Amino acid sequence: MSQARGPSSPVDPGPDPTLLAGMTPTSRETARQALASNGLVKTAANFGDFYTFVCKVFAQMFTRRFQFREFISQAWFIITVSFWPAILVSIPFCVVIIFQVNQLLIQIGAIDLAGAGAAVAVVREIGPIVSVLVVAGAGATAICADLGSRKIRDEIDAMVTLGIDPVERLVVPRVVASTLVGVALNGIVTVVGLLGGYFFSVVLQGATPGLYLSDLTLLVGLSDFIASELKAAVFGLLAGLTACYLGLNAKGGPKGVGDAVNQTVIFAFMLLFAANSVISTVFLQIKLGA
């Protein structure tokens, strides 16, 4: 016989009343906690929260209330922390790959095609990846630390209490700044990489200067550079969204902010390489199909 429930007894809502009908309130609470602690459920919930956050950012991005002054400030800040690291990383990164490609060309007696190989490597892949690795490693982590420190000091909650939308006021300018700085750095890294490739190919590996310059457009055209800039924009956008989301959801004091910063680097790099694979595949399919 089931025990009758009194009119004043609390009835806890649950996802399935049929399954919870014979459970005590304590058992129900334990079941809810076990479900909430499940890693798969947490991951799905985090993806859902991130998707909702991204939709809100895009909804606020195209309004007349865009914080232009905050955007200029954040863009300048990201440039100051990313410019020289991008230059210093691009030189050895580009040179090592171009050097290896040229070694192969020397073996087959085609060192004069060094310009074509350098252009393919730098424009299609190295430029956008290097530029946004720096943006994610320097700029995005700084954004996450800034928003995370505001979060643990209750500044974000104070803004909400005052009727100020943190996404509109803080997130959108930072995401747009990260996107545009990624595009700008991609152009700079591309130029630096091609110049470094010229020095190593011509001075150290015997390529002909005129053929190096003329072959730069042999396999790479305007469409490749546009695709490269599109990659950099998408990478910068993902890095900015990841940094802002994790910064606004930082918990646990200074340690939580540090954890959020570390997670920003990891998740931004994961999204970067996933997006790079998709964009490169789609672009090559379109180009070869045309």
Side-chain angles (χ1 to χ4, degrees):
M1 296 291 292
S2 59
Q3 184 178 359
R5 187 182 297 276
S8 60
S9 299
V11 179
D12 296 333
D16 192 343
T18 303
L19 295 176
L20 299 180
M23 299 176 64
T24 64
T26 303
S27 300
R28 295 177 185 178
E29 183 63 26
T30 303
R32 288 194 184 92
Q33 292 178 357
L35 184 62
S37 63
N38 185 275
L40 183 61
V41 174
K42 281 185 175 181
T43 302
N46 289 334
F47 271 111
D49 291 342
F50 181 70
Y51 178 78
T52 303
F53 174 78
V54 171
C55 292
K56 188 175 181 181
V57 171
F58 278 106
Q60 296 285 353
M61 191 176 294
F62 304 101
T63 63
R64 295 183 179 180
R65 298 186 299 272
F66 181 75
Q67 303 294 323
F68 187 75
R69 183 173 298 179
E70 182 74 10
F71 159 71
I72 295 297
S73 173
Q74 291 301 314
W76 178 251
F77 169 72
I78 297 175
I79 289 174
T80 56
V81 299
S82 303
F83 179 79
W84 287 112
I87 299 297
L88 296 177
V89 170
S90 65
I91 294 174
F93 201 96
C94 296
V95 164
V96 167
I97 294 180
I98 293 173
F99 183 82
Q100 297 295 332
V101 172
N102 289 346
Q103 287 297 112
L104 176 62
L105 294 176
I106 291 174
Q107 294 296 322
I108 62 176
I111 187 59
D112 287 333
L113 293 175
V120 170
V122 174
V123 174
R124 288 187 182 177
E125 296 297 334
I126 299 177
I129 289 180
V130 168
S131 60
V132 185
L133 280 176
V134 175
V135 170
T141 52
I143 290 173
C144 180
D146 176 39
L147 294 180
S149 62
R150 292 173 184 242
K151 178 66 176 180
I152 65 173
R153 292 197 303 263
D154 295 328
E155 292 183 18
I156 305 298
D157 295 333
M159 293 178 65
V160 174
T161 302
L162 294 173
I164 302 174
D165 188 356
V167 173
E168 176 189 328
R169 183 65 179 81
L170 300 176
V171 173
V172 172
R174 285 164 171 78
V175 171
V176 176
S178 176
T179 303
L180 295 184
V181 171
V183 172
L185 284 181
N186 177 51
I188 297 173
V189 170
T190 300
V191 172
V192 172
L194 293 177
L195 291 177
Y198 177 88
F199 176 81
F200 268 78
S201 299
V202 173
V203 177
L204 300 181
Q205 295 182 295
T208 305
L211 288 177
Y212 179 93
L213 296 176
S214 63
D215 287 345
L216 288 177
T217 57
L218 183 63
L219 300 176
V220 174
L222 180 61
S223 60
D224 296 272
F225 182 71
I226 293 175
S228 176
E229 292 287 66
L230 176 62
K231 278 186 182 182
V234 173
F235 296 164
L237 177 68
L238 292 175
L241 289 171
T242 304
C244 291
Y245 174 77
L246 293 174
L248 290 179
N249 289 276
K251 298 177 182 178
K255 181 180 182 300
V257 176
D259 292 340
V261 171
N262 294 333
Q263 292 172 4
T264 296
V265 177
I266 296 171
F267 290 138
F269 285 4
M270 291 172 59
L271 291 174
L272 185 155
F273 290 114
N276 180 60
S277 301
V278 173
I279 296 174
S280 297
T281 303
V282 172
F283 172 73
L284 289 178
Q285 289 293 331
I286 293 174
K287 186 171 183 179
L288 295 177

